[in-house]
């Protein structure tokens, strides 16, 4: 059986059916039904956040955030993320301005942000990549000094805490993805977080066509609603999350141990972070060695992923620029298989193959 970089968690089917039965009893499929409201309440408690709005995916909330806070200006952003971070900026008629990344944390290099700020800059959109938080305090200071808004693409951050607080509580707006490949999922889904009451109101109507009741409109909107069917999956998955994350932690510890004294760069998690073990990236010496590692793993049906390649400043619809670290990292990084029921024998095999190539 092929081993992929990740595998969706499937709750016992009876538990999913129990949730579906509630939908059949209610005969109510979407527009914030009982299951969506319950999922929001349960997530609020689980994540210890003050506010959450659950959405249809993790991209629409980024677009809504940029619509409300980016206002067609220049957006300071990272080249090392999933394509949705950059494509959302361009989709919202804003201009991405890329800042290179930190070579060890892999998040935006906060020391290089100020040099890229102009009179047109409206916001910073940074990714807590692989669940590793950006240097939030410094970004906050810069944003305050230049009166910029801060949006965090926290798609990888389910259950991440920073300074003992949910990482979703930082920035003007944070977004998360509940896609099937993410650590907690609703098949397709996502969420948006803000502590600002005014923004909560704007985000809410923006995700529901701008509606103010049936007959009036607050403003422009899009359809960002999640359905009861997706919420059913979320409600069935959520109770299993502590075990899912604990299992991932065990595998991460085995990888860490195995790679501790060989010449291989691992991600450095920022201090004061309670991480979620969402990905296991390794940085190889160069692209040739990366190709060799992938080739050898593929021979035995093991499929790591090149997260994230290419560097987003090379997308065909943006101006490319000189970002040496992002360019080097994106060409030499892969994420190893990591999921709740990955077999220890597979982990051992992966470790053995990697060591045989690089040692
Ligand atoms: C998955 C992901 C998204 C998009 O989320 P969807 O739910 O698939 O729309 C955005 N940003 C990052 C960094 C992601 O990994």
């Amino acid at each position: 059986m092929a081993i992929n970089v990740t595998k969706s968690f499937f709750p016992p089917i009876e538990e999913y059916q129990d949730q579906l039965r509630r939908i059949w009893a209610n005969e109510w499929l979407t527009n914030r039904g009982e299951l969506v409201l319950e999922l929001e309440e349960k997530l609020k408690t689980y994540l210890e956040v003050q506010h959450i709005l659950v959405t249809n995916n993790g991209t629409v909330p980024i677009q809504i955030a940029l619509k409300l806070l980016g206002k067609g200006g220049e957006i300071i952003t990272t080249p090392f993320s999933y394509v949705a971070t950059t494509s959302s900026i361009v989709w919202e008629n804003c201009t991405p301005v890329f800042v290179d990344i930190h070579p060890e944390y892999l998040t935006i290099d906060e020391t290089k942000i100020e040099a890229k700020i102009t009179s047109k800059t409206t916001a910073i959109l940074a990714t807590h990549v692989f669940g590793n938080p950006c240097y939030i305090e410094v970004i906050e200071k810069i944003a305050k000094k230049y009166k910029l808004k801060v949006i965090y693409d926290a798609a990888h951050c389910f259950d991440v805490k920073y300074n003992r607080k949910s990482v979703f509580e930082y920035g003007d707006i944070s977004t998360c993805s509940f896609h099937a490949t993410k650590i907690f999922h609703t098949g397709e889904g996502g969420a948006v977080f803000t502590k600002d009451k005014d923004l909560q109101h704007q985000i809410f109507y923006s995700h529901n066509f701008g509606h103010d009741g049936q007959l009036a409109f607050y403003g422009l909107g899009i359809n960002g609603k999640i359905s009861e069917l997706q919420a059913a999956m979320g409600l069935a998955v959520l109770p299993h999350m502590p075990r899912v994350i604990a299992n991932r932690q065990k595998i991460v510890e085995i990888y860490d141990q195995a790679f501790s004294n060989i010449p291989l760069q691992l991600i450095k998690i920022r201090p004061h972070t309670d991480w979620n073990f969402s990905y296991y990236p390794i940085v190889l010496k160069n692209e040739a060695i990366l190709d060799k590692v992938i080739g050898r793993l593929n021979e035995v049906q093991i499929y790591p992923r090149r997260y994230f390649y290419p560097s987003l400043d090379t997308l065909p619809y943006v101006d490319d620029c000189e970002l040496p670290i992002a360019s080097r990292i994106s060409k030499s990084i892969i994420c190893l298989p990591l999921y709740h029921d990955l077999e220890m024998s597979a982990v051992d095999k992966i470790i053995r193959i990697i060591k045989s190539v690089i040692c």
Side-chain angles (χ1 to χ4, degrees):
M1 260 252 288
I3 292 170
N4 293 310
V5 68
T6 194
K7 191 171 121 184
S8 302
F9 173 78
F10 278 77
I13 195 164
E14 300 75 25
E15 295 175 23
Y16 183 51
Q17 284 166 335
D18 287 344
Q19 298 297 339
L20 290 180
R21 267 188 208 98
R22 299 173 60 196
I23 302 175
W24 261 250
N26 292 337
E27 298 190 316
W28 187 280
L29 279 167
T30 189
N31 288 353
R32 299 184 60 72
E34 181 183 297
L35 277 74
V36 168
L37 299 182
E38 185 178 315
L39 181 62
E40 284 183 350
E41 279 314 306
K42 292 209 157 131
L43 285 172
K44 232 163 97 171
T45 306
Y46 187 95
L47 298 169
E48 299 176 26
V49 291
Q50 296 172 34
H51 164 266
I52 182 173
L53 177 71
V54 173
T55 56
N56 56 347
N57 59 47
T59 302
V60 164
I62 301 174
Q63 292 171 345
I64 290 174
L66 287 164
K67 179 80 76 191
L68 296 173
L69 303 179
K71 298 184 193 301
E74 291 179 0
I75 312 294
I76 302 277
T77 193
T78 175
F80 190 66
S81 182
Y82 183 58
V83 66
T85 315
T86 300
S87 65
S88 297
I89 295 173
V90 178
W91 196 262
E92 291 304 325
N93 292 314
C94 297
T95 307
V97 174
F98 294 100
V99 168
D100 212 350
I101 57 169
H102 188 281
E104 293 177 290
Y105 294 118
L106 310 181
T107 48
I108 194 167
D109 186 342
E110 65 285 344
T111 65
K112 295 177 180 161
I113 290 177
E114 282 196 78
K116 298 277 183 100
I117 294 173
T118 72
S119 59
K120 292 183 193 147
T121 309
T122 51
I124 298 167
L125 169 56
T127 301
H128 301 309
V129 71
F130 305 132
N132 196 22
C134 300
Y135 201 160
I136 288 171
E137 291 89 337
V138 175
I139 292 175
E140 219 167 78
K141 223 176 257 168
I142 295 168
K144 211 173 225 167
K145 180 168 163 194
Y146 294 92
K147 298 194 166 55
L148 304 177
K149 300 297 183 184
V150 180
I151 303 163
Y152 286 117
D153 180 343
H156 305 162
C157 291
F158 189 87
D159 215 14
V160 171
K161 296 240 168 28
Y162 185 61
N163 294 325
R164 298 177 176 278
K165 207 165 89 169
S166 169
V167 81
F168 299 134
E169 299 265 87
Y170 296 94
D172 292 286
I173 297 177
S174 275
T175 65
C176 190
S177 168
F178 300 157
H179 184 259
T181 56
K182 303 300 202 283
I183 199 162
F184 167 79
H185 76 88
T186 55
E188 292 271 3
V192 52
F193 306 83
T194 179
K195 292 192 286 187
D196 182 312
K197 290 269 183 284
D198 211 40
L199 265 180
Q200 285 172 15
H201 170 64
Q202 291 178 59
I203 291 168
F204 187 88
Y205 76 66
S206 298
H207 105 299
N208 185 29
F209 302 101
H211 270 293
D212 172 12
Q214 286 185 4
L215 306 177
F217 293 88
Y218 289 113
L220 185 63
I222 185 85
N223 184 357
K225 286 175 285 124
I226 190 169
S227 79
E228 291 288 274
L229 296 161
Q230 292 158 286
M233 181 59 91
L235 287 169
V237 169
L238 187 60
H240 297 276
M241 285 312 292
R243 186 170 55 84
V244 165
I245 292 175
N247 287 0
R248 284 167 164 272
Q249 178 171 8
K250 265 187 233 148
I251 295 162
V252 164
E253 283 167 0
I254 293 168
Y255 278 142
D256 278 347
Q257 177 75 27
F259 298 142
S260 62
N261 44 20
I262 63 167
L264 184 64
Q265 184 191 332
L266 307 177
I267 192 172
K268 188 166 162 186
I269 300 297
R270 196 172 296 282
H272 313 295
T273 301
D274 296 308
W275 190 44
N276 62 357
F277 313 97
S278 47
Y279 294 85
Y280 201 87
I282 60 171
V283 182
L284 299 151
K285 269 230 174 62
N286 53 50
E287 202 168 15
I289 293 175
L290 171 141
D291 284 337
K292 203 164 160 196
V293 168
I294 293 176
R296 291 283 294 280
L297 289 168
N298 287 176
E299 278 170 21
V300 290
Q301 280 78 55
I302 295 172
Y303 301 98
R305 272 288 291 265
R306 291 188 69 172
Y307 285 147
F308 289 101
Y309 178 86
S311 185
L312 296 173
D313 60 297
T314 65
L315 286 168
Y317 47 82
V318 302
D319 295 333
D320 58 355
C321 48
E322 196 64 25
L323 303 165
I325 296 166
S327 171
R328 173 176 66 81
I329 297 281
S330 65
K331 284 181 186 137
S332 53
I333 193 166
I334 55 171
C335 283
L336 298 182
L338 175 61
Y339 47 87
H340 57 283
D341 64 352
L342 180 60
E343 305 254 352
M344 289 306 158
S345 58
V347 176
D348 289 342
K349 200 194 266 180
I350 292 163
I351 290 167
R352 228 176 325 109
I353 290 171
I354 289 171
K355 282 187 167 172
S356 77
V357 177
I358 67 170
C359 291

